[in-house]
Amino acid sequence: MAGATLAEKILARASGQPRVRPGQIVTCAVDLLMMHDSGGPRRVAQRLAQLGARVWDPEKVVVVSDHFVPATDLDGAEILALTRRWAREQGVRHYDGVGICHVVLQEHGHVQPGMFCVGGDSHSPSGGAAGAYMVGVGATEVTGVLVTGEIWIKVPQTLRIDCAGRLGAGVSAKDVMLHLCARLGMNNDAFVVEYAGEAVAALSMSERLVLCNMAAELGAETGLVAPDATTLAALSEAGRPFAGDAGAWRSDDDARFDARVVVDAAALPPQVAAPHSPAHSDSVECAPRGVRIDQAYIGACTGAKLSDLRMAAAVLAGRKVAAGTRLLIAPASTAMTAQAAAEGTLATLTEAGAILLPTGCGACAGMGAGMLAAGETCIASTARNFKGRMGSAEAQVWLGSPYTVAASAVKGRIADPREFLA
Amino acid sequence: MILRGRCHVFGDQVDTDALAPGPYMRKPLPELASHCLEAVDPRFAREVQRGDIVVAGRGFGIGSSREQAVQALLHLGVAAVVATSFARIFYRNALNLGLPALACPALVVRAGDELEVRPQQGEIENLSQGTRFACEPIPAPLLAVVAAGGLMPWLEARLAARRGA
């Protein structure tokens, strides 16, 4: 009998089964439930009241306000006030405007190897960076988890993605994911993705978060990376207690993967996705020359962590944003903003002419500052460029890594960052 | 449950930003729903009739976990969505909220055809063309939710049983 994959091991543990197999439907006990201000208390408080039910375990619930922060209108302000009240009444942990949910969970060590987690957000697979199995659901299912502490899962097949060699200068996890979206398409719902290989082993937790985060764009159930020394060091730094055997969660050597893909990481050039889909990705070398950029946006869980700000700074150091182009930067957490300020990264960005925006999901979700008008063209470090997502349905949004977005801001048109890093 | 309606046909990868556009996400549902699918078909929200059926290609509902993508369709009176395949969160959301979602890769329709849909049996009849199609089965836990009328009634029943025990 072949061994089990990491995903199968976590699902077996969470469902109390000795072994699970793809296609099997299992009921899993939830170790952590995350919700945010958009899909959280605003949408579940009334449902819980209607059911006359209490939160099954307040210790296992984390609320993060990130979508409507800081409030830009009365609707948003009321949603945020309701979120604060509900979190206080229920006695659950609430991070209020200090970062984007997936990044906050990682910063504070909430998601740990082997855990089974549920998030009320489609980019919840981000939790897989810590070697956990974390799935996104809608607000009604969040209500179900709040009441029962359980959720049903159809065990997915495991797609193993091996990233061979090291990524080159100016190439990042974002480029790997854009490449995979073009190569594998966005309908991989039968799969959980396990990322491995030399390039992945060399990546920081922030970069692994990008790989898992964009499993959502592959349409996969979730994504994960087996824990290693990098994972354990990050957990130690976060300061939350974790199990002694946390590093032992991995696919068996003789595990059977239902599908395998190899990415030649060393040869991968920077990628850009054309409007209006991450699957419209190709090498930046193939991008049309004359596309003028009105707005360059470095933001979101996918693209504005400290590692992303450093990538942008590497390109922007000693340079200026092109006339007629605006560069907006919304850091993914306030702790990362503080760190970027302390180390000088922030000054490099603002001296180049970047406009600093509040921490939050912001324009990525068409909700904060930085919305686009009809006819405008944007290049963003975010995960999605669906039509109308960042404002007008008549706007054009390209996607790239923070390196590529910064390089494009300097040139005022889509640019290859490698020429700035030589 | 037997649903009969006229169909509106869309292509592949109809995403949640098209179904529930971000700029209207903090607005009340009727206002949000009036912008449903406008990025793909600006006339849809105005012209859709109660009981109509949305038919689409692969990956319907890809993107966000926002349930408003489902609720906007329900608000507009859409009775069911039939697609070649669904994004996983949208699919769960739809059935949890009582919007029948059926994966039917074989379905052949023209815009405006009259369809008869039997969600629990997984059958679709194209009344305009006199053809029949089998859908992919709904997973057992979701079939129980559909039978209860959605996840909220299912939870109510479960809690009542627990209190009675």
Side-chain angles (χ1 to χ4, degrees), chain A residues 12 14 19 29 43 46 85 88 95 98 135 200 221 260 271-272 302 330 368 381 400 409 422:
Chain A
R19 179 87 201 247
R43 298 183 57 79
Q46 214 179 345
R85 265 198 315 275
R88 205 165 43 236
Y95 295 96
V98 297
V135 290
V200 176
E221 163 98 358
R260 291 189 89 128
Q271 306 281 304
V272 287
T302 317
S381 65

Side-chain angles (χ1 to χ4, degrees), chain B:
Chain B
M1 189 193 302
I2 298 177
L3 306 164
R4 202 178 271 196
R6 192 174 57 105
C7 68
H8 298 256
V9 181
F10 295 90
D12 291 339
Q13 311 295 141
V14 172
D15 61 73
T16 51
D17 287 290
L19 289 160
Y24 308 101
M25 274 291 286
R26 75 196 97 181
K27 298 296 177 193
L29 185 61
E31 185 178 346
L32 177 64
S34 72
H35 298 281
C36 179
L37 291 171
E38 73 182 1
V40 188
D41 176 3
R43 296 165 311 169
F44 172 76
R46 281 198 306 277
E47 292 182 359
V48 67
Q49 307 268 319
R50 191 147 294 277
D52 284 358
I53 293 166
V54 166
V55 175
R58 299 177 75 197
F60 189 86
I62 184 116
S64 160
S65 65
R66 60 187 69 160
E67 286 189 329
Q68 290 92 330
V70 173
Q71 289 172 319
L73 293 171
L74 285 169
H75 181 83
L76 295 173
V78 170
V81 182
V82 182
T84 308
S85 67
F86 289 91
R88 56 170 292 282
I89 302 180
F90 180 92
Y91 182 72
R92 292 177 76 122
N93 284 349
L95 294 163
N96 283 333
L97 287 163
L99 174 67
L102 290 159
C104 187
L107 183 67
V108 179
V109 288
R110 283 183 302 250
D113 279 358
E114 189 89 2
L115 300 184
E116 187 170 289
V117 178
R118 288 180 285 276
Q120 278 143 304
Q121 290 72 32
E123 294 166 2
I124 298 177
E125 202 171 333
N126 185 331
L127 301 173
S128 303
Q129 298 190 29
T131 46
R132 265 173 191 276
F133 304 93
C135 304
E136 289 176 7
I138 296 173
L142 272 178
L143 209 51
V145 164
V146 170
L151 186 61
M152 282 296 286
W154 183 90
L155 284 167
E156 275 173 27
R158 181 172 158 157
L159 287 171
R162 200 195 280 173
R163 284 179 193 123

